[in-house]
Amino acid sequence: MTAPPFKLKYADEASDVIADLAAKRQYADKLAKVRKALRLLREAGPSYPGLQSHRYQSIKGPNGEEVWESYAENRTPSAWRIWWSYGPDEDMITIVAIGPHP
């Protein structure tokens, strides 16, 4: 892992969620929050305080790697999160999933 900025790679599931949010006007606010969080992940890195990034214990990535969780929203019912892992390249973060906190 290197220092920011990072390149973001999107799993199909994460790309589909962004496309779904962008397709419906009623999700414009949610999409803006997700895009802001993704920008912060890319430019400031996971240690940015507002993202509150932490390792997500209950799942592993597709290749057994650690999965991390960052906040797109906070203090809201079913607040949205971004699940991601480092790699596959040293300066890359793979966005695994985006959605409401379970």
Side-chain angles (χ1 to χ4, degrees), residues 22-85:
K24 297 184 179 162
R25 182 174 284 201
Q26 72 259 32
Y27 297 127
D29 184 49
K30 187 105 30 214
L31 177 62
K33 291 176 184 179
V34 167
R35 285 185 171 158
K36 179 181 178 183
L38 291 168
R39 179 182 51 80
L40 289 170
L41 262 177
R42 184 180 67 246
E43 295 174 5
S47 62
Y48 184 81
L51 293 173
Q52 297 188 31
S53 299
H54 57 281
R55 201 170 73 157
Y56 197 66
Q57 302 288 338
S58 59
I59 61 171
K60 293 281 186 190
N63 299 313
E65 66 272 10
E66 292 181 341
V67 172
W68 297 76
E69 176 182 41
S70 295
Y71 287 27
E73 295 181 304
N74 195 10
R75 297 188 186 109
T76 223
S78 298
W80 276 50
R81 305 289 191 249
I82 298 169
W83 290 273
W84 55 272
S85 62

